[in-house]
Amino acid sequence: MRRQDLINTARALVADHKGLLAMDESTPTCNKRFAKLGIPQTEEARRSYREMIVTTPGLGESISGAILYDETIHQSKKDGTPFVKVLQDAGIIPGIKVDTGAKDLAGHPGEKITEGLDGLRERLSEYFKMGARFAKWRAVLAIGDGIPSRGCIDANAEMLALYAGLCQEAGLVPIVEPEVLMDGDHTLERCGKVTEEVLRMVFNKLNSQRVMLEGMILKPNMVLPGLNCPKQESVDEVADATVTSLLRAVPAAVPAIAFLSGGQSPELASARLNAMNIRFKSRLPWALAFSFARAIQQPALEIWKGNDANLLPAQQALYHQAKCNRAARQGEYNASMERT
Ligand code: 13P
């Protein structure tokens, strides 16, 4: 294991107040988002969309790493330049999603287990050769009546730890993503309790698998009330609940926590991250950063709509959203930064 290389990569991924752009939607997920906007669900449309993203001028000012998907890491610009090279030239570290998706967990109605360990060692070595220096694996945990169960938390945490160990062996920084979903009518408090329980189990398993905490990044959900919960707390209350749970459950040896956006609007995701960085500035052992997909890409996708005539305004929207999130890392985001 190249210990110092892993530490250096993990630090570089959150240096200079930058963060990660998750552009690793699987083909079915990307197609679903395209379908909503009437964009053709073809490989060429997905390639063209990803070309719009990676060629955004100035993207590297706010983005330190981009998470690709297997299809995307093999793709190139129209002129033949591989996306990996485009990113590297922009000072952005290429990463890769390596799980193969969440499937129903046997014996646990309503719960999922993320798959992808078969052949992972070989895939990681291939991705490293292609230029990837970090990886991502997402576990999904739903909150509901009697769930998440201990069995589901335990199994997903075990998979995350085995994946993280293999990544570090291959020289890739593992992004460890246990996502507690926003769907449901649960309270903020319940989300906090579940998030803490999940994170404790994840770190327990990471330790069992001898994962070097200094060479990984945690990608959790923010602590939020369920989407259908009648009580929706303020930005500051969400910031407090989130950081309180993280301080209780995440070891200080972890260099950074990069949140997923999970379906929050870009404005709320930025405002909540901003509030955390303002309110807890001097008390945080780790960097609090972002690894958003929808909260960075969605406005750009809605402008682009599959038509390259909209390329420039779409890229401007992407650049802007990334910039807002870099500002939020510094506690300098302000709703007035939003485009009208
Ligand atoms: P969202 O920010 O859209 O939740 O996506 C982050 C991600 O990478 C999910 O795995």
Side-chain angles (χ1 to χ4, degrees):
M1 188 204 297
R2 289 148 278 201
R3 201 183 154 84
Q4 196 55 47
D5 288 349
L6 291 168
I7 294 172
N8 292 345
T9 302
R11 287 187 186 150
L13 286 171
V14 291
D16 199 20
H17 306 292
K18 297 183 195 178
L20 308 178
L21 167 61
M23 48 178 291
D24 61 335
E25 297 83 2
S26 64
T27 300
T29 302
C30 190
N31 283 347
K32 231 185 282 165
R33 292 185 188 157
F34 278 15
K36 273 196 189 144
L37 295 166
I39 302 168
Q41 291 120 69
T42 61
E43 182 179 349
E44 176 50 24
R46 292 191 297 275
R47 191 207 62 75
S48 186
Y49 175 56
R50 265 67 183 249
E51 175 163 348
M52 181 276 286
I53 294 176
V54 300
T55 58
T56 293
L59 192 63
E61 292 167 23
S62 306
I63 298 297
S64 50
I67 314 174
L68 305 172
Y69 176 59
D70 185 68
E71 177 180 87
T72 325
I73 199 170
H74 290 95
Q75 286 175 327
S76 304
K77 273 170 57 175
K78 249 206 169 89
D79 70 6
T81 317
F83 285 166
V84 168
K85 170 139 181 31
V86 179
L87 290 168
Q88 288 166 336
D89 289 349
I92 298 173
I93 303 172
I96 180 79
K97 181 236 284 293
V98 297
D99 67 69
T100 55
K103 312 282 161 56
D104 290 342
L105 177 61
H108 293 72
E111 298 196 285
K112 301 274 185 197
I113 181 73
T114 299
E115 296 184 348
L117 285 179
D118 287 352
L120 183 57
R121 174 175 275 135
E122 293 70 26
R123 287 194 290 130
L124 291 173
S125 140
E126 199 54 38
Y127 288 137
F128 184 90
K129 282 189 211 137
M130 292 182 79
R133 288 295 175 269
F134 71 105
K136 186 193 100 171
W137 178 293
R138 171 177 177 253
V140 214
L141 297 121
I143 298 183
D145 207 9
I147 64 170
S149 64
R150 178 84 184 184
C152 176
I153 297 173
D154 192 273
N156 275 292
E158 184 89 38
M159 298 292 169
L160 278 166
L162 289 166
Y163 138 84
L166 282 164
C167 283
Q168 291 192 334
E169 179 192 86
L172 294 158
V173 168
I175 307 281
V176 173
E177 180 179 8
E179 175 173 4
V180 177
L181 297 172
M182 282 165 77
D183 308 291
D185 59 4
H186 54 269
T187 61
L188 173 98
E189 195 189 1
R190 173 108 201 271
C191 179
K193 287 222 164 79
V194 170
T195 300
E196 279 176 43
E197 186 184 354
V198 168
L199 292 176
R200 282 200 193 96
M201 181 66 82
V202 167
F203 282 100
N204 186 353
K205 302 280 186 183
L206 288 169
N207 285 322
S208 300
Q209 293 305 322
R210 303 180 178 164
V211 172
M212 183 191 31
L213 299 184
E214 293 82 355
M216 64 160 276
I217 290 177
L218 178 72
K219 175 165 173 166
N221 51 286
M222 295 184 191
V223 172
L224 303 170
L227 280 174
N228 299 323
C229 178
K231 184 164 182 225
Q232 294 290 318
E233 278 79 359
S234 68
V235 166
D236 285 351
E237 286 168 323
V238 164
D240 290 359
T242 302
V243 179
T244 300
S245 288
L246 294 172
L247 284 170
R248 287 177 181 162
V250 183
V254 173
I257 293 176
F259 292 104
L260 57 95
S261 59
Q264 301 173 71
S265 69
E267 295 77 13
L268 267 180
S270 303
R272 289 165 169 163
L273 178 61
N274 189 63
M276 291 180 219
N277 279 308
I278 290 178
R279 295 165 74 79
F280 291 88
K281 208 174 197 157
S282 56
R283 293 184 44 202
L284 299 175
W286 1 255
L288 274 190
F290 57 92
S291 176
F292 298 155
R294 282 163 288 181
I296 295 181
Q297 288 181 51
Q298 195 61 27
L301 175 61
E302 287 171 14
I303 294 169
W304 178 69
K305 279 208 185 85
N307 183 350
D308 277 343
N310 303 325
L311 186 78
L312 282 182
Q315 290 185 326
Q316 281 163 0
L318 190 77
Y319 174 84
H320 173 78
Q321 227 51 68
K323 199 172 152 182
C324 287
N325 288 313
R326 181 165 183 262
R329 278 207 56 192
Q330 300 165 82
E332 289 173 5
Y333 169 80
N334 185 310
S336 67
M337 287 175 73
E338 293 301 340
R339 298 148 64 91
T340 46

